[in-house]
Amino acid sequence: MRMLFKKAIPCLALVFSCSFALMGSTAHAEIINYAEKGRPEDPGLELLQEDPHDIILFKESAGGGWVKTRLLDLPGRSMPSSPKGQLKFRVIGIETKDFVAKWDDVEMIDFWEKRLERETADRIKNGDFTGAYPFLAVLIRDYPSRPNLRTLRSEFLMRDAGSRYNKGEIGPALAMLEELHRYAPEYKTQAVLAAISMMTDGLMKKLMEENKLELAQKLLARLEKDYLGKSLTSIKKWNQIFLKMAEERQAGAIAALKAENFREARRLSRESIYLKPTIPNGKELVRKIDEIYPLVNVGVLQTAKDLDPTRLDNWAARRAGRLMYRVLFEMKGAGPEGGEYEFLFGETELSPDRMKFSMLLMPEKLEPPLNGVDGFFIADRLAARVSPQSDVYFSPWAAALKAVGLDGPKQIDCILRRPNVLPSALLQMTVDGSWFGGKEGEPTGDYRRDVVEGDLIRYTLVGEQRTASQPREIVEIRTESASEGVAKLLKGEVDVLDQLFPADAVRLESNRKIRVARYPLPSVHMLVPCSDHAFLAERTFRRALVYGTNREDILAGELLESLEVPGCQVLSGPFPAGIENNDPLGYAYDKTIAPRRYEPRLAKLLMTMNANQLEATANRKKEKPPELKPIRLAFPPENLSRSACEAIKSQWELLELKVELVELPVGEAFPKPGTADLAYVAAAVWEPIIDARRVLGPEGMAGSTDQLVGLGLRRLEESKNWKDARDRLLDLHFISHHELPVIPLWQLVDSYAYNRNLLGVGSEIVSLYQNAEKWRLSQ
């Protein structure tokens, strides 16, 4: 055979030798597939770039040398114990010709998989774990049944973990050891568990030093579960440490309770069970403190500066205002024909022809001081709402009311100029102290603002509790971001989150300890002009901004994080579209009007046209054309609005516009005059039949003086029935879509979340504090 092979070599020498380019390099290396003497060189890691092959090494008595062959088909992929006859093979590079050699001439065969094992073992022995890994990976992939593979893989994990630990990489080292114990629990069991215990101890110390208590607790809880019944000394050690910390806080809570420092007692008792949920009497102590002094912590993105439960454009003012003030007609939910309202002093009736709206006072069912208000006083307030000189003047009510009459001190009859579909919505008036003989603006709700400490505001209960469990304090804690609020909720630092990022709401729904609920009414997000910026005053320029804003991309990518959230959608007008198809909440939204698409080229064209129009107008008047000044875009100081405005800014800058972002002070939702040109507003347009003027009217947010908008508002207020109202709202939607008094963006379905230990929050609530007097903490 050797002679046969040697005869073939001269004519095949060029075929046996080939070159190839190394990936990522211009250098070339030769792969030699045979040699007449010596042994093949070690290619190192480049071996993995070669096709799988075996190497036959010939005896010196047969002339020596070696050859690379395709994988040999031998039983058990090993040399026969007593080989006889000939060995048939194919040489790498010569795929069409078979060669043979006498078994007596073969010194040994270096099988491919054994070579991989040898390379892996040598590199592990030399501490070259980066080099060993790809060889080991090929073995695991192609030869998972090799008898030595389990030991080889275990040795790799053990020694690499030790190397990483010595470099200070405790986390990765621990992960490798745990993988080793799961993969081969029989491998050096005691040594592996001892190493896991040592590394766990080091990692726990590091987490505690970095004040990452939550991660430390999660790690300890997982280790207890994974290594139940196994001797990990670190578990026992850290359980004792956490128990000692929990006992110290429990003792502090008991001392604070005796001193009637209920806030401190509450904090320490909760920290105690957070550190060690199984601490004896832990939950009982928390329950006792909650019964004595119920207190609820609420995580908010914005604390309130102004307090107004009827505010359209300020989420925080609307939320906190509900604690501080009562409202003459409070919206409690949504019905098939607009909102459902509750009369503070009794009940209401609307005549069949919708021309007479009666309020029936029921003082016998009311508590002081509500039972002291009579019909004469309320009638005076309703009349004041008609007078333009009054602070409470509301033009839609003035246009609707013909006369106010009294049928005794307990019944007020409002005679209307024309049939009105929802007169109660016109009377969402804040009831302050002046209604009860106090000062104007004085709070009338159950709570008063007590302490303001940076990002923390305490609202304390005034008077006696309505129920035994009603919170004595509601503490609002402002978080820098929605994600920080979620972290605080999961750690138990807050009991409720009043507003969630839509993506966070989806993720939290799977948490068993947290309940996520959606507010029934979506918020409408828009950009509202708020200055005399010459270009923004032009409809053509505003239209260019719409075409230059990829609203779908911002909503889906930035705000929803690519998650599907029903009800969240881009809008074509300033009214909510409802959450589902044929949703009565969308009674003002015309679904046949599609939102304008993102077309930046058209946006540039419209901007050029607008500039030319302004220049032509200025030339006719022999004036200097207005300069396109930077657009100041204001937004509330919370990360949802910030993310949206940063994305809008980036897209407008592609149109060669200069944009300046203006972050509003905490508690403010609309910029002061002269500080911005556009305001990002998340508005509660829950009752479009009334809120249309509050958004679009001359005295509303947009301050629009557009004649078509004004005509649409007047015709809406003259509606005699729901069909008229809906038809005219659809007309107003059409007008707003074309005139763009505001730039519509999208609607979001807002959610809130709370710990399941907090009972009585309710569902389908319009405002977070709608049922605050019924809240109850349990353990």
Side-chain angles (χ1 to χ4, degrees), residues 218-273:
K218 286 182 178 179
L219 173 61
L220 185 60
R222 183 182 64 77
L223 290 171
E224 283 188 285
K225 180 180 178 182
D226 292 349
Y227 298 94
L228 183 66
K230 298 179 181 178
S231 56
L232 251 66
T233 56
S234 60
I235 294 178
K236 183 178 180 181
K237 172 186 173 181
W238 283 98
N239 266 327
Q240 290 174 343
I241 291 174
F242 277 113
L243 178 59
K244 183 179 179 182
M245 293 168 63
E247 287 173 343
E248 289 173 353
R249 282 162 175 76
Q250 188 181 73
I254 293 171
L257 181 59
K258 289 179 180 178
E260 297 188 358
N261 186 350
F262 301 114
R263 295 171 183 169
E264 185 70 2
R266 182 186 191 276
R267 182 182 68 81
L268 290 172
S269 65
R270 276 171 163 74
E271 286 184 5
S272 175
I273 60 172

Short mmCIF file of all heavy atoms in Angstrom, two decimals, residues 218-273:
data_model
loop_
_atom_site.label_atom_id
_atom_site.label_comp_id
_atom_site.label_asym_id
_atom_site.label_seq_id
_atom_site.Cartn_x
_atom_site.Cartn_y
_atom_site.Cartn_z
N LYS A 218 -33.45 37.91 47.35
CA LYS A 218 -33.86 37.01 46.28
C LYS A 218 -32.84 35.90 46.10
O LYS A 218 -33.21 34.73 45.89
CB LYS A 218 -34.02 37.80 44.97
CG LYS A 218 -35.26 38.67 44.93
CD LYS A 218 -35.37 39.37 43.58
CE LYS A 218 -36.65 40.21 43.51
NZ LYS A 218 -36.76 40.92 42.21
N LEU A 219 -31.55 36.25 46.19
CA LEU A 219 -30.51 35.23 46.06
C LEU A 219 -30.62 34.21 47.19
O LEU A 219 -30.57 33.00 46.96
CB LEU A 219 -29.13 35.90 46.09
CG LEU A 219 -27.92 34.95 46.12
CD1 LEU A 219 -27.90 34.07 44.88
CD2 LEU A 219 -26.62 35.75 46.24
N LEU A 220 -30.79 34.69 48.43
CA LEU A 220 -30.88 33.79 49.56
C LEU A 220 -32.11 32.88 49.46
O LEU A 220 -32.04 31.68 49.73
CB LEU A 220 -30.92 34.60 50.86
CG LEU A 220 -30.89 33.79 52.16
CD1 LEU A 220 -29.62 32.96 52.25
CD2 LEU A 220 -31.01 34.72 53.37
N ALA A 221 -33.23 33.46 49.05
CA ALA A 221 -34.46 32.66 48.91
C ALA A 221 -34.29 31.59 47.84
O ALA A 221 -34.74 30.45 48.01
CB ALA A 221 -35.63 33.58 48.56
N ARG A 222 -33.64 31.92 46.76
CA ARG A 222 -33.42 30.93 45.70
C ARG A 222 -32.48 29.82 46.16
O ARG A 222 -32.71 28.63 45.88
CB ARG A 222 -32.85 31.61 44.46
CG ARG A 222 -32.66 30.64 43.29
CD ARG A 222 -32.03 31.31 42.09
NE ARG A 222 -30.70 31.79 42.35
CZ ARG A 222 -29.61 31.00 42.40
NH1 ARG A 222 -29.74 29.68 42.25
NH2 ARG A 222 -28.42 31.51 42.60
N LEU A 223 -31.42 30.20 46.86
CA LEU A 223 -30.48 29.19 47.35
C LEU A 223 -31.16 28.23 48.31
O LEU A 223 -30.92 27.02 48.27
CB LEU A 223 -29.30 29.88 48.03
CG LEU A 223 -28.34 30.65 47.11
CD1 LEU A 223 -27.34 31.45 47.94
CD2 LEU A 223 -27.61 29.70 46.18
N GLU A 224 -32.02 28.77 49.19
CA GLU A 224 -32.75 27.90 50.13
C GLU A 224 -33.60 26.88 49.38
O GLU A 224 -33.69 25.72 49.75
CB GLU A 224 -33.63 28.75 51.04
CG GLU A 224 -32.88 29.46 52.14
CD GLU A 224 -33.83 30.12 53.13
OE1 GLU A 224 -34.39 31.17 52.77
OE2 GLU A 224 -33.99 29.59 54.24
N LYS A 225 -34.21 27.33 48.30
CA LYS A 225 -35.08 26.44 47.52
C LYS A 225 -34.26 25.42 46.73
O LYS A 225 -34.60 24.24 46.69
CB LYS A 225 -35.93 27.29 46.56
CG LYS A 225 -36.87 26.48 45.69
CD LYS A 225 -37.67 27.38 44.77
CE LYS A 225 -38.58 26.59 43.85
NZ LYS A 225 -39.33 27.47 42.92
N ASP A 226 -33.19 25.89 46.10
CA ASP A 226 -32.40 25.01 45.22
C ASP A 226 -31.56 24.00 46.00
O ASP A 226 -31.24 22.93 45.47
CB ASP A 226 -31.49 25.85 44.32
CG ASP A 226 -32.28 26.66 43.31
OD1 ASP A 226 -33.49 26.42 43.17
OD2 ASP A 226 -31.68 27.54 42.65
N TYR A 227 -31.15 24.36 47.21
CA TYR A 227 -30.23 23.49 47.96
C TYR A 227 -30.85 23.00 49.27
O TYR A 227 -30.18 22.87 50.28
CB TYR A 227 -28.91 24.23 48.22
CG TYR A 227 -28.21 24.61 46.95
CD1 TYR A 227 -28.40 25.87 46.37
CD2 TYR A 227 -27.38 23.71 46.28
CE1 TYR A 227 -27.78 26.21 45.19
CE2 TYR A 227 -26.76 24.04 45.10
CZ TYR A 227 -26.96 25.29 44.54
OH TYR A 227 -26.35 25.63 43.36
N LEU A 228 -32.14 22.78 49.21
CA LEU A 228 -32.85 22.29 50.38
C LEU A 228 -32.27 20.94 50.81
O LEU A 228 -32.14 20.02 50.02
CB LEU A 228 -34.34 22.15 50.05
CG LEU A 228 -35.25 21.71 51.20
CD1 LEU A 228 -35.27 22.79 52.28
CD2 LEU A 228 -36.67 21.45 50.68
N GLY A 229 -31.91 20.84 52.10
CA GLY A 229 -31.38 19.59 52.62
C GLY A 229 -29.90 19.38 52.37
O GLY A 229 -29.36 18.33 52.71
N LYS A 230 -29.24 20.37 51.76
CA LYS A 230 -27.81 20.25 51.48
C LYS A 230 -27.03 21.21 52.38
O LYS A 230 -27.54 22.25 52.78
CB LYS A 230 -27.53 20.54 50.01
CG LYS A 230 -28.23 19.53 49.09
CD LYS A 230 -27.99 19.82 47.64
CE LYS A 230 -28.72 18.82 46.75
NZ LYS A 230 -28.55 19.11 45.32
N SER A 231 -25.82 20.85 52.65
CA SER A 231 -25.04 21.59 53.65
C SER A 231 -24.34 22.80 53.04
O SER A 231 -23.17 22.74 52.69
CB SER A 231 -24.00 20.66 54.28
OG SER A 231 -23.18 20.08 53.26
N LEU A 232 -25.09 23.89 52.91
CA LEU A 232 -24.50 25.16 52.50
C LEU A 232 -24.47 26.07 53.73
O LEU A 232 -25.50 26.59 54.17
CB LEU A 232 -25.33 25.81 51.38
CG LEU A 232 -24.68 25.82 49.99
CD1 LEU A 232 -24.55 24.38 49.51
CD2 LEU A 232 -25.49 26.65 49.01
N THR A 233 -23.28 26.23 54.28
CA THR A 233 -23.16 27.01 55.52
C THR A 233 -23.55 28.46 55.32
O THR A 233 -24.01 29.12 56.26
CB THR A 233 -21.72 26.94 56.05
OG1 THR A 233 -20.81 27.39 55.02
CG2 THR A 233 -21.35 25.51 56.42
N SER A 234 -23.38 28.98 54.09
CA SER A 234 -23.71 30.39 53.84
C SER A 234 -25.20 30.65 54.02
O SER A 234 -25.60 31.74 54.45
CB SER A 234 -23.28 30.78 52.42
OG SER A 234 -23.93 29.98 51.47
N ILE A 235 -26.05 29.68 53.70
CA ILE A 235 -27.50 29.87 53.85
C ILE A 235 -27.85 30.06 55.32
O ILE A 235 -28.57 31.00 55.68
CB ILE A 235 -28.26 28.66 53.26
CG1 ILE A 235 -28.06 28.59 51.74
CG2 ILE A 235 -29.74 28.77 53.59
CD1 ILE A 235 -28.73 27.40 51.10
N LYS A 236 -27.32 29.20 56.15
CA LYS A 236 -27.60 29.31 57.58
C LYS A 236 -27.06 30.63 58.13
O LYS A 236 -27.74 31.32 58.91
CB LYS A 236 -26.96 28.13 58.31
CG LYS A 236 -27.24 28.11 59.81
CD LYS A 236 -26.63 26.88 60.46
CE LYS A 236 -26.90 26.87 61.97
NZ LYS A 236 -26.30 25.69 62.62
N LYS A 237 -25.86 30.99 57.71
CA LYS A 237 -25.23 32.22 58.20
C LYS A 237 -26.07 33.45 57.85
O LYS A 237 -26.37 34.28 58.72
CB LYS A 237 -23.84 32.36 57.61
CG LYS A 237 -23.17 33.70 57.89
CD LYS A 237 -21.85 33.83 57.16
CE LYS A 237 -21.27 35.23 57.32
NZ LYS A 237 -19.98 35.37 56.59
N TRP A 238 -26.47 33.55 56.58
CA TRP A 238 -27.19 34.76 56.17
C TRP A 238 -28.63 34.76 56.63
O TRP A 238 -29.22 35.83 56.82
CB TRP A 238 -27.08 34.93 54.65
CG TRP A 238 -25.72 35.45 54.30
CD1 TRP A 238 -24.65 34.75 53.87
CD2 TRP A 238 -25.28 36.80 54.43
NE1 TRP A 238 -23.56 35.56 53.70
CE2 TRP A 238 -23.92 36.84 54.03
CE3 TRP A 238 -25.89 37.99 54.81
CZ2 TRP A 238 -23.17 38.01 54.03
CZ3 TRP A 238 -25.16 39.16 54.81
CH2 TRP A 238 -23.82 39.17 54.43
N ASN A 239 -29.22 33.61 56.82
CA ASN A 239 -30.54 33.56 57.44
C ASN A 239 -30.50 34.15 58.84
O ASN A 239 -31.39 34.90 59.25
CB ASN A 239 -31.06 32.13 57.48
CG ASN A 239 -31.93 31.79 56.29
OD1 ASN A 239 -32.63 32.66 55.77
ND2 ASN A 239 -31.89 30.54 55.85
N GLN A 240 -29.45 33.85 59.55
CA GLN A 240 -29.30 34.38 60.91
C GLN A 240 -29.06 35.89 60.88
O GLN A 240 -29.59 36.62 61.72
CB GLN A 240 -28.14 33.66 61.62
CG GLN A 240 -28.43 32.21 61.96
CD GLN A 240 -27.22 31.49 62.54
OE1 GLN A 240 -26.09 31.94 62.42
NE2 GLN A 240 -27.48 30.34 63.18
N ILE A 241 -28.29 36.35 59.91
CA ILE A 241 -28.04 37.80 59.78
C ILE A 241 -29.33 38.54 59.49
O ILE A 241 -29.65 39.57 60.11
CB ILE A 241 -26.99 38.06 58.68
CG1 ILE A 241 -25.62 37.56 59.13
CG2 ILE A 241 -26.93 39.55 58.33
CD1 ILE A 241 -24.54 37.64 58.06
N PHE A 242 -30.12 38.02 58.53
CA PHE A 242 -31.38 38.69 58.19
C PHE A 242 -32.36 38.63 59.35
O PHE A 242 -33.11 39.58 59.59
CB PHE A 242 -32.00 38.06 56.94
CG PHE A 242 -31.44 38.59 55.65
CD1 PHE A 242 -30.69 37.80 54.80
CD2 PHE A 242 -31.66 39.91 55.28
CE1 PHE A 242 -30.18 38.30 53.62
CE2 PHE A 242 -31.15 40.42 54.10
CZ PHE A 242 -30.40 39.62 53.27
N LEU A 243 -32.36 37.50 60.06
CA LEU A 243 -33.25 37.39 61.21
C LEU A 243 -32.86 38.42 62.28
O LEU A 243 -33.75 39.07 62.87
CB LEU A 243 -33.18 35.98 61.79
CG LEU A 243 -34.02 35.73 63.05
CD1 LEU A 243 -35.50 36.01 62.76
CD2 LEU A 243 -33.82 34.31 63.57
N LYS A 244 -31.57 38.59 62.53
CA LYS A 244 -31.13 39.58 63.52
C LYS A 244 -31.52 40.99 63.10
O LYS A 244 -32.01 41.79 63.91
CB LYS A 244 -29.61 39.49 63.70
CG LYS A 244 -29.07 40.43 64.76
CD LYS A 244 -27.56 40.27 64.92
CE LYS A 244 -27.03 41.25 65.97
NZ LYS A 244 -25.55 41.14 66.11
N MET A 245 -31.33 41.32 61.80
CA MET A 245 -31.72 42.64 61.31
C MET A 245 -33.23 42.85 61.46
O MET A 245 -33.69 43.93 61.84
CB MET A 245 -31.31 42.78 59.84
CG MET A 245 -29.80 42.81 59.61
SD MET A 245 -29.34 42.64 57.85
CE MET A 245 -30.08 44.10 57.16
N ALA A 246 -34.01 41.79 61.14
CA ALA A 246 -35.47 41.89 61.25
C ALA A 246 -35.89 42.07 62.70
O ALA A 246 -36.81 42.86 63.00
CB ALA A 246 -36.11 40.65 60.65
N GLU A 247 -35.23 41.35 63.62
CA GLU A 247 -35.58 41.47 65.04
C GLU A 247 -35.26 42.86 65.58
O GLU A 247 -36.01 43.41 66.39
CB GLU A 247 -34.81 40.40 65.84
CG GLU A 247 -35.34 38.99 65.62
CD GLU A 247 -34.47 37.94 66.27
OE1 GLU A 247 -33.30 38.25 66.61
OE2 GLU A 247 -34.96 36.80 66.44
N GLU A 248 -34.16 43.46 65.10
CA GLU A 248 -33.81 44.82 65.53
C GLU A 248 -34.88 45.81 65.08
O GLU A 248 -35.29 46.70 65.84
CB GLU A 248 -32.45 45.21 64.95
CG GLU A 248 -31.28 44.47 65.59
CD GLU A 248 -29.96 44.75 64.89
OE1 GLU A 248 -30.00 45.42 63.83
OE2 GLU A 248 -28.91 44.32 65.39
N ARG A 249 -35.35 45.65 63.85
CA ARG A 249 -36.38 46.56 63.36
C ARG A 249 -37.72 46.30 64.06
O ARG A 249 -38.48 47.24 64.31
CB ARG A 249 -36.50 46.43 61.85
CG ARG A 249 -35.39 47.17 61.11
CD ARG A 249 -35.25 46.69 59.68
NE ARG A 249 -34.28 47.48 58.95
CZ ARG A 249 -32.96 47.35 59.09
NH1 ARG A 249 -32.46 46.49 59.96
NH2 ARG A 249 -32.13 48.10 58.38
N GLN A 250 -37.99 45.05 64.34
CA GLN A 250 -39.23 44.76 65.05
C GLN A 250 -39.22 45.38 66.44
O GLN A 250 -40.22 45.95 66.89
CB GLN A 250 -39.42 43.25 65.15
CG GLN A 250 -40.79 42.85 65.71
CD GLN A 250 -40.95 41.36 65.82
OE1 GLN A 250 -40.35 40.73 66.69
NE2 GLN A 250 -41.76 40.78 64.93
N ALA A 251 -38.08 45.30 67.12
CA ALA A 251 -37.96 45.92 68.44
C ALA A 251 -38.13 47.43 68.34
O ALA A 251 -38.78 48.07 69.18
CB ALA A 251 -36.62 45.57 69.07
N GLY A 252 -37.54 48.03 67.28
CA GLY A 252 -37.71 49.46 67.07
C GLY A 252 -39.15 49.84 66.80
O GLY A 252 -39.63 50.89 67.25
N ALA A 253 -39.86 48.98 66.06
CA ALA A 253 -41.27 49.24 65.76
C ALA A 253 -42.11 49.20 67.03
O ALA A 253 -43.00 50.04 67.23
CB ALA A 253 -41.79 48.23 64.75
N ILE A 254 -41.83 48.24 67.90
CA ILE A 254 -42.58 48.14 69.15
C ILE A 254 -42.34 49.36 70.03
O ILE A 254 -43.27 49.92 70.63
CB ILE A 254 -42.19 46.84 69.89
CG1 ILE A 254 -42.66 45.62 69.07
CG2 ILE A 254 -42.77 46.80 71.29
CD1 ILE A 254 -42.14 44.30 69.58
N ALA A 255 -41.07 49.82 70.07
CA ALA A 255 -40.75 51.01 70.85
C ALA A 255 -41.43 52.24 70.29
O ALA A 255 -41.97 53.08 71.03
CB ALA A 255 -39.23 51.20 70.89
N ALA A 256 -41.44 52.37 68.96
CA ALA A 256 -42.09 53.52 68.33
C ALA A 256 -43.59 53.49 68.56
O ALA A 256 -44.23 54.53 68.74
CB ALA A 256 -41.78 53.53 66.83
N LEU A 257 -44.17 52.30 68.58
CA LEU A 257 -45.60 52.17 68.83
C LEU A 257 -45.95 52.62 70.24
O LEU A 257 -46.94 53.33 70.46
CB LEU A 257 -46.04 50.72 68.60
CG LEU A 257 -47.52 50.40 68.78
CD1 LEU A 257 -48.37 51.23 67.83
CD2 LEU A 257 -47.77 48.92 68.58
N LYS A 258 -45.12 52.25 71.20
CA LYS A 258 -45.36 52.67 72.58
C LYS A 258 -45.24 54.18 72.71
O LYS A 258 -45.96 54.80 73.51
CB LYS A 258 -44.35 51.98 73.51
CG LYS A 258 -44.60 50.49 73.69
CD LYS A 258 -43.57 49.86 74.61
CE LYS A 258 -43.83 48.36 74.79
NZ LYS A 258 -42.78 47.74 75.66
N ALA A 259 -44.34 54.79 71.92
CA ALA A 259 -44.16 56.24 71.96
C ALA A 259 -45.19 56.96 71.09
O ALA A 259 -45.12 58.19 70.95
CB ALA A 259 -42.76 56.60 71.51
N GLU A 260 -46.13 56.19 70.46
CA GLU A 260 -47.17 56.71 69.58
C GLU A 260 -46.57 57.43 68.36
O GLU A 260 -47.16 58.35 67.80
CB GLU A 260 -48.12 57.65 70.34
CG GLU A 260 -48.89 56.93 71.44
CD GLU A 260 -49.97 57.80 72.05
OE1 GLU A 260 -50.09 58.97 71.64
OE2 GLU A 260 -50.71 57.31 72.92
N ASN A 261 -45.38 56.97 67.97
CA ASN A 261 -44.78 57.44 66.72
C ASN A 261 -45.19 56.43 65.65
O ASN A 261 -44.43 55.56 65.25
CB ASN A 261 -43.26 57.52 66.86
CG ASN A 261 -42.59 58.13 65.63
OD1 ASN A 261 -43.25 58.34 64.60
ND2 ASN A 261 -41.31 58.41 65.74
N PHE A 262 -46.44 56.56 65.20
CA PHE A 262 -47.04 55.54 64.35
C PHE A 262 -46.37 55.44 62.98
O PHE A 262 -46.27 54.35 62.42
CB PHE A 262 -48.54 55.81 64.19
CG PHE A 262 -49.27 55.83 65.51
CD1 PHE A 262 -49.86 57.00 65.98
CD2 PHE A 262 -49.36 54.70 66.29
CE1 PHE A 262 -50.52 57.03 67.18
CE2 PHE A 262 -50.03 54.71 67.50
CZ PHE A 262 -50.61 55.88 67.95
N ARG A 263 -45.92 56.55 62.43
CA ARG A 263 -45.27 56.52 61.12
C ARG A 263 -44.00 55.67 61.18
O ARG A 263 -43.75 54.83 60.32
CB ARG A 263 -44.93 57.93 60.66
CG ARG A 263 -46.14 58.81 60.41
CD ARG A 263 -45.72 60.25 60.18
NE ARG A 263 -46.88 61.12 60.01
CZ ARG A 263 -46.80 62.45 60.00
NH1 ARG A 263 -45.63 63.04 60.16
NH2 ARG A 263 -47.89 63.19 59.82
N GLU A 264 -43.18 55.91 62.22
CA GLU A 264 -41.95 55.16 62.37
C GLU A 264 -42.24 53.70 62.67
O GLU A 264 -41.56 52.79 62.16
CB GLU A 264 -41.11 55.77 63.50
CG GLU A 264 -39.73 55.15 63.67
CD GLU A 264 -38.78 55.47 62.53
OE1 GLU A 264 -39.16 56.22 61.62
OE2 GLU A 264 -37.64 54.96 62.57
N ALA A 265 -43.25 53.45 63.51
CA ALA A 265 -43.62 52.08 63.83
C ALA A 265 -44.05 51.32 62.58
O ALA A 265 -43.68 50.15 62.37
CB ALA A 265 -44.75 52.07 64.87
N ARG A 266 -44.82 51.98 61.72
CA ARG A 266 -45.27 51.35 60.49
C ARG A 266 -44.09 51.00 59.59
O ARG A 266 -43.99 49.90 59.05
CB ARG A 266 -46.24 52.28 59.75
CG ARG A 266 -46.81 51.68 58.48
CD ARG A 266 -47.64 52.72 57.73
NE ARG A 266 -48.40 52.11 56.67
CZ ARG A 266 -47.92 51.86 55.45
NH1 ARG A 266 -46.65 52.13 55.18
NH2 ARG A 266 -48.69 51.31 54.52
N ARG A 267 -43.19 51.97 59.43
CA ARG A 267 -42.03 51.75 58.56
C ARG A 267 -41.17 50.58 59.05
O ARG A 267 -40.83 49.68 58.29
CB ARG A 267 -41.19 53.02 58.49
CG ARG A 267 -39.97 52.91 57.57
CD ARG A 267 -39.16 54.19 57.59
NE ARG A 267 -38.52 54.42 58.87
CZ ARG A 267 -37.38 53.84 59.25
NH1 ARG A 267 -36.77 52.97 58.46
NH2 ARG A 267 -36.85 54.10 60.43
N LEU A 268 -40.84 50.59 60.34
CA LEU A 268 -39.96 49.57 60.88
C LEU A 268 -40.62 48.18 60.88
O LEU A 268 -39.95 47.17 60.61
CB LEU A 268 -39.54 49.95 62.31
CG LEU A 268 -38.59 51.15 62.42
CD1 LEU A 268 -38.41 51.55 63.87
CD2 LEU A 268 -37.25 50.83 61.77
N SER A 269 -41.90 48.12 61.16
CA SER A 269 -42.58 46.81 61.17
C SER A 269 -42.61 46.21 59.78
O SER A 269 -42.45 44.99 59.62
CB SER A 269 -43.99 46.96 61.72
OG SER A 269 -44.80 47.76 60.86
N ARG A 270 -42.80 47.03 58.78
CA ARG A 270 -42.81 46.52 57.40
C ARG A 270 -41.41 46.13 56.94
O ARG A 270 -41.23 45.15 56.21
CB ARG A 270 -43.43 47.55 56.47
CG ARG A 270 -44.94 47.48 56.45
CD ARG A 270 -45.58 48.63 55.71
NE ARG A 270 -46.96 48.32 55.36
CZ ARG A 270 -47.97 48.30 56.21
NH1 ARG A 270 -47.75 48.58 57.49
NH2 ARG A 270 -49.18 48.00 55.81
N GLU A 271 -40.42 46.91 57.33
CA GLU A 271 -39.04 46.53 57.01
C GLU A 271 -38.69 45.20 57.65
O GLU A 271 -37.95 44.39 57.07
CB GLU A 271 -38.07 47.62 57.48
CG GLU A 271 -38.08 48.87 56.62
CD GLU A 271 -37.02 49.87 57.06
OE1 GLU A 271 -36.23 49.54 57.97
OE2 GLU A 271 -37.00 50.97 56.50
N SER A 272 -39.21 44.96 58.85
CA SER A 272 -38.92 43.73 59.57
C SER A 272 -39.40 42.51 58.79
O SER A 272 -38.63 41.56 58.58
CB SER A 272 -39.57 43.77 60.95
OG SER A 272 -39.39 42.55 61.62
N ILE A 273 -40.65 42.53 58.33
CA ILE A 273 -41.16 41.35 57.61
C ILE A 273 -40.62 41.31 56.19
O ILE A 273 -40.60 40.25 55.56
CB ILE A 273 -42.69 41.28 57.61
CG1 ILE A 273 -43.31 42.52 56.95
CG2 ILE A 273 -43.23 41.10 59.01
CD1 ILE A 273 -44.80 42.39 56.75
#
